[in-house]
Amino acid sequence: MRTRHLGTALLATGTLLLGGAACAQHDDGASGAAAAPRTVKAVDGCGKGSWTDPADLAADRKPARCASVAPAPVKLDRTRKLTIATGTLSAEYVAPLEMAVEKGEFKKEGLDVTLKVLPTPDALPLLAKGDIDAQWAAPEAAVMNGILGGFDIKWVAGNFSPDPQSKSGLWVRLKNGESASRVSMAGRKMGTMIGKGSVISYPMNTALKKHGGGLDKIQFQQLGSADVLTALQNGGVDSAWLLDPVWRKVDGDTHYAFLGGQPLGEPLGGLLFGPNLLSEDPDAGVAFLRAYIRTVNTYFAGDYKKDPAFVTGLAALLKTDKKVLESTPSLRMDWEIRAGTTDRLQKAYAAAGVSKGDPLPESKTVDRKLYEEAVGHKP
């Protein structure tokens, strides 16, 4: 499936924007999915709990759920071949997509889905042109800058929020006399494998501000995934953003303190759709989301790591060590998008100096209509 190519000038602008120089004015046109109202029907197995108010930002908010194996497949009149870009196939947050392929959930909808590993900067222009159909990523600064430059891309579904027991996030090496509740972050050097344009800038900035810092008050040192922890331990950096399961290496050590991570109950990534599924073939877009949501409800509805047999299969699917997978809590898989998340992200990108121009309103960055249709929710 492929849409007509955007003009050469727009693509050149988009490429510049991905580097962080957002200076083009965004078109006010809406995607076809937003412009043409679609019929939303009730869906068996998806009742009141299959939708939550986007404005509910409570940390203990229960994610939306339908019954297992719901919503049922609604096979398309003809098979659609879809290519979905993802930065990795080994991370746990990609598991629902891989499981949907493995269990034939996409095929039940009449979709022939290929998952293709591509980094976000490479995938975005392809998504805007229609050379790929969707991207399993996040509304990073590059995405916001691309939309500002004219790319018809929207965030259409969430992925996960952390378990309350997770300590993936900002860790600091304590100095004499410091504690987790009494530590100053201003002027510290932070090691991270994630650049300032990542969605992690938002929770990182929040955690830093609680301790006298901020993205504009610390020094960044970007490191490889294998080097972040080493740099923190040997004094090369004062603090670090440690991901699952790396933080386990310092958890319980009194020389280090955890200062905060991703907000509970608020997904920061998920599915990005381009024009193919937003406007040219929204039926296929809804079908894709229906299969994804059904996979979450069937296999990832709760604490999926309580089932040893399932964890064994999941480890094989992700090609990772079972013990590594078991060392961290289950993710709270969540297809919904909270209100204001892209507003908060853009404030963090501005603070980090990786975005320019006026912030985009949520109507330009988010489209919840397709997942609402998949579960039968009428706004």
Side-chain angles (χ1 to χ4, degrees):
M1 183 163 45
R2 180 186 181 102
T3 189
R4 65 178 182 277
H5 285 245
L6 299 176
T8 303
L10 177 56
L11 287 179
T13 301
T15 303
L16 288 173
L17 290 173
L18 298 182
C23 56
Q25 187 65 36
H26 185 264
D27 189 327
D28 281 341
S31 71
R38 294 170 56 83
T39 301
V40 178
K41 299 178 181 178
V43 173
D44 289 343
C46 293
K48 185 178 179 181
S50 65
W51 179 87
T52 67
D53 184 353
D56 184 357
L57 300 178
D60 60 352
R61 175 186 68 88
K62 292 183 179 180
R65 291 289 183 262
C66 300
S68 180
V69 307
V74 181
K75 197 161 188 176
L76 298 167
D77 56 355
R78 59 180 177 81
T79 299
R80 269 73 149 186
K81 291 187 176 183
L82 303 181
T83 299
I84 316 302
T86 175
T88 178
L89 288 173
S90 60
E92 190 175 339
Y93 64 84
V94 191
L97 289 194
E98 295 186 80
M99 189 67 72
V101 172
E102 174 81 8
K103 299 295 184 180
E105 298 298 344
F106 291 125
K107 287 186 177 180
K108 294 173 186 177
E109 301 284 352
L111 300 173
D112 181 359
V113 171
T114 298
L115 302 179
K116 185 174 183 178
V117 176
L118 281 174
T120 293
D122 294 340
L124 276 178
L126 300 178
L127 182 61
K129 288 192 297 179
D131 287 344
I132 61 174
D133 303 285
Q135 192 171 347
W136 187 250
E140 298 177 347
V143 176
M144 298 294 104
N145 290 337
I147 296 172
L148 185 68
F151 284 177
D152 187 11
I153 294 173
K154 286 189 176 179
W155 185 20
V156 299
N159 52 7
F160 75 95
S161 63
D163 184 275
Q165 300 304 312
S166 175
K167 294 182 182 178
S168 173
L170 179 59
W171 286 81
V172 62
R173 192 176 68 257
L174 297 172
K175 299 177 181 179
N176 289 336
E178 289 185 330
S179 64
S181 60
R182 190 165 59 87
V183 57
S184 176
M185 291 302 297
R188 302 245 182 167
K189 182 185 290 186
M190 178 184 289
T192 175
M193 58 177 286
I194 303 167
K196 292 183 181 181
S198 165
V199 292
I200 296 303
S201 292
Y202 154 39
M204 187 184 292
N205 198 38
T206 301
L208 287 168
K209 285 184 174 180
K210 290 179 180 178
H211 298 277
L215 294 174
D216 58 340
K217 295 181 180 179
I218 62 167
Q219 303 174 52
F220 277 88
Q221 183 169 338
Q222 197 157 353
L223 301 165
S225 59
D227 301 322
V228 174
L229 178 62
T230 301
L232 179 65
Q233 291 176 321
N234 66 20
V237 296
D238 307 300
S239 59
W241 192 270
L242 301 181
L243 303 176
D244 288 335
V246 179
W247 57 268
R248 289 290 196 187
K249 300 288 186 179
V250 294
D251 189 29
D253 187 330
T254 57
H255 294 93
Y256 303 92
F258 173 63
L259 302 185
Q262 178 177 330
L264 299 178
E266 184 178 12
L268 299 181
L271 277 164
L272 306 175
F273 278 2
N276 288 352
L277 300 181
L278 282 175
S279 54
E280 292 202 356
D281 195 353
D283 286 344
V286 173
F288 187 93
L289 289 173
R290 192 164 47 235
Y292 163 50
I293 291 169
R294 182 169 60 253
T295 302
V296 171
N297 289 321
T298 306
Y299 302 101
F300 299 95
D303 185 359
Y304 49 89
K305 292 185 181 179
K306 284 185 175 180
D307 182 347
F310 182 77
V311 175
T312 298
L314 186 60
L317 185 66
L318 298 175
K319 295 181 174 58
T320 192
D321 187 274
K322 181 182 178 182
K323 290 183 178 179
V324 171
L325 201 58
E326 291 176 325
S327 69
T328 56
S330 297
L331 300 178
R332 293 190 168 183
M333 302 303 185
D334 190 348
W335 65 78
E336 294 190 311
I337 299 170
R338 301 293 87 200
T341 297
T342 56
D343 297 334
R344 292 183 284 277
L345 288 171
Q346 289 179 91
K347 286 182 180 178
Y349 300 150
V354 292
S355 65
K356 296 182 180 179
D358 294 333
L360 293 159
E362 191 177 80
S363 61
K364 302 295 184 186
T365 60
V366 173
D367 189 344
R368 299 180 181 85
K369 293 185 179 66
L370 300 181
Y371 75 64
E372 289 176 338
E373 180 179 336
V375 300
H377 174 74
K378 297 181 180 180

